[in-house]
Amino acid sequence: MRTQVGIIGAGPAGLLLSHLLHLRGISSVVLEKRSRDHVERRVRAGVLEQGTVDTLIEAGVGERMSREGLPHHGIELRYGGAGHRIAFEKLVPGRSITVYGQQEVVKDLIAARLSAGGDVRFEVEDVAVHGLESEPWLTFGGERLDCDVIAGCDGFHGVSRPAIPEGVLEVFEREYPFAWLGILARVPPSSEELIYTRTERGFALHSMRSPTVSRFYLQVPADARVEQWPDERIWAELKARLESVPGFTLATGEIMEKGVTPMRSFVAEPMQYGRLYLAGDAAHIVPPTGAKGLNLAVADVRVLTEALAAYFERGSTDLLDGYSAACLKRVWRAQHFSWWMTTLLHTFEEDDAYGRRLQLSYLDYVTSSQTAATTLAENYVGLPWAP
């Protein structure tokens, strides 16, 4: 078999890349080790930046998102017994976020690729990468796929990044001393917008997936296990952290899913080696506080699509050569914003009274200064795409 671009991973990055390349007349094959059902069901991020929304609409895969997604024009920072709204419509006019689950984006992209005759293969075993320096190829399940370029979109634990020779990559990472307990509940949201709350008990986030399904996160110890958190304890802790302002009552209901997510920051540089180009979680991880993971993957794919189009249409390698440098500018901005949001809202060491006072001081600044609030809003809705 032969194709122009071999893509490893059928998450948002791999599927969107395949679809955008298809729109430019460039062939690809997507290889995914999981089943289609697994890929479409796994719950991940749900906050889409303005640029991500625009990209999906422009690519012709945003119809259901436009119909079912929940546009938000602000978020609430809740601390010290009061809530403070960061109003996107005033601070960054014309830009907002849309709440639409990552699994729904994946469903839309799979449907679009298959309806267009795209080659997306699920439950593929033993994917391996070869010949990155000159003539790359992939092997899987006893078959061989020759290609001009390989795109590694297979996440943090995939095979793409480890295929780069030792000593080429420089890795930057940080582990946080806590994790997030994520809950998906069959209960209408208790707020029209996301609530980020900082308390002495720890951080909590009130989010949503639809008018009837809510998403919550609790800061928990890094070694926490799901079985330590029965439903009654989860609701009690959410109430303790979220019902901190007068008149607010948290609605409770059936918990459908729960899981513990470690908090880490990770960047591997460069995001390319030979004919291999990394995108999304294969190259970088951000803590979910800033809602940047999926959006960074889309940003990578946009850059890579233009670089590959220039290569296949004109024979130019300039954009491919500069792919990593172009992506990393946005990656590091998102890394800083995610780290900042995380350190601003989470409880660290219990005896760190100095750190807690710094947190409260900066929260006061963000909620009272239009300049500071604009910086938060601009980064949250997503910086404009580079030319």
Side-chain angles (χ1 to χ4, degrees):
M1 292 182 294
R2 178 164 183 80
T3 191
Q4 288 172 291
V5 182
I7 300 174
I8 310 175
L15 291 167
L16 180 60
L17 176 62
S18 178
H19 185 67
L20 293 178
L21 292 175
H22 164 72
L23 297 177
R24 303 293 285 266
I26 300 168
S27 65
S28 67
V29 175
V30 181
L31 305 177
E32 169 59 50
K33 69 177 182 178
R34 304 284 191 179
S35 68
R36 178 179 177 179
D37 181 70
H38 176 88
V39 170
E40 291 185 338
R41 287 180 179 270
R42 57 185 173 188
V43 177
R44 292 291 188 273
V47 175
L48 307 184
E49 293 179 354
Q50 183 68 59
T52 298
V53 170
D54 295 343
T55 297
L56 295 174
I57 291 173
E58 292 166 5
V61 292
E63 180 182 352
R64 193 163 68 94
M65 174 192 66
S66 299
R67 185 174 66 250
E68 300 178 9
L70 305 175
H72 285 200
H73 300 280
I75 59 172
E76 180 184 330
L77 298 181
R78 184 173 291 185
Y79 69 99
H84 308 266
R85 185 171 184 265
I86 304 298
F88 301 155
E89 71 272 15
K90 295 181 180 179
L91 300 168
V92 282
R95 297 161 65 192
S96 61
I97 61 165
T98 295
V99 175
Y100 188 66
Q102 175 174 310
Q103 71 273 23
E104 305 305 324
V105 174
V106 167
K107 290 176 187 177
D108 296 341
L109 287 168
I110 290 175
R113 294 305 304 121
L114 296 182
S115 67
D119 194 344
V120 182
R121 306 189 181 199
F122 297 98
E123 299 182 78
V124 172
E125 297 181 350
D126 303 323
V127 176
V129 180
H130 311 272
L132 294 179
E133 289 81 4
S134 56
E135 298 180 357
W137 76 92
L138 296 166
T139 55
F140 59 96
E143 300 189 61
R144 171 171 171 150
L145 174 65
D146 292 296
C147 41
D148 297 292
V149 169
I150 296 173
C153 306
D154 50 344
F156 184 78
H157 299 288
V159 301
S160 298
R161 191 177 68 252
I164 297 176
E166 186 176 352
V168 172
L169 295 178
E170 185 173 8
V171 171
F172 305 85
E173 56 187 327
R174 172 166 295 178
E175 297 283 342
Y176 293 86
F178 42 74
W180 270 16
L181 174 65
I183 304 102
L184 195 67
R186 199 183 310 278
V187 57
S190 301
S191 169
E192 294 183 354
E193 296 179 340
L194 278 72
I195 303 173
Y196 288 79
T197 183
R198 178 226 176 263
T199 75
E200 294 300 318
R201 303 176 69 96
F203 167 81
L205 172 60
H206 176 297
S207 184
M208 60 285 294
R209 286 295 178 268
S210 76
T212 59
V213 176
S214 296
R215 183 77 163 152
F216 301 96
Y217 297 96
L218 281 169
Q219 177 186 349
V220 296
D223 59 354
R225 302 189 307 275
V226 170
E227 52 268 26
Q228 297 173 324
W229 286 87
D231 293 4
E232 297 77 10
R233 183 185 181 190
I234 290 172
W235 288 123
E237 195 60 33
L238 282 169
K239 281 180 167 288
R241 300 186 193 185
L242 287 165
E243 292 182 346
S244 57
V245 298
F248 179 84
T249 301
L250 180 68
T252 63
E254 175 195 358
I255 293 180
M256 299 182 289
E257 289 185 21
K258 48 185 163 180
V260 175
T261 301
M263 300 283 281
R264 68 161 68 94
S265 299
F266 175 89
V267 181
E269 297 186 9
M271 292 170 55
Q272 61 192 93
Y273 173 77
R275 295 296 186 91
L276 171 65
Y277 300 87
L278 304 178
D281 288 358
H284 42 73
I285 298 286
V286 290
T289 323
K292 294 299 167 203
L294 168 60
N295 296 293
L296 275 182
V298 172
D300 292 345
V301 165
R302 284 179 59 100
V303 175
L304 186 54
T305 298
E306 292 304 317
L308 290 171
Y311 174 68
F312 288 114
E313 293 169 4
R314 305 191 301 275
S316 171
T317 62
D318 291 348
L319 294 181
L320 279 176
D321 293 342
Y323 167 72
S324 179
C327 289
L328 286 170
K329 289 182 179 181
R330 193 179 191 94
V331 167
W332 278 111
R333 175 85 297 278
Q335 286 284 340
H336 180 268
F337 179 68
S338 300
W339 165 84
W340 176 76
M341 286 281 285
T342 301
T343 55
L344 183 66
L345 295 165
H346 289 73
T347 301
F348 285 78
E349 297 178 12
E350 293 183 1
D351 60 349
D352 186 14
Y354 179 82
R356 291 198 296 274
R357 293 304 287 254
L358 287 179
Q359 284 179 317
L360 293 172
S361 173
Y362 208 96
L363 281 165
D364 285 341
Y365 176 53
V366 168
T367 56
S368 61
S369 163
Q370 181 169 329
T371 300
T374 300
T375 298
L376 190 159
E378 181 180 45
N379 281 273
Y380 197 91
V381 303
L383 299 174
W385 300 124

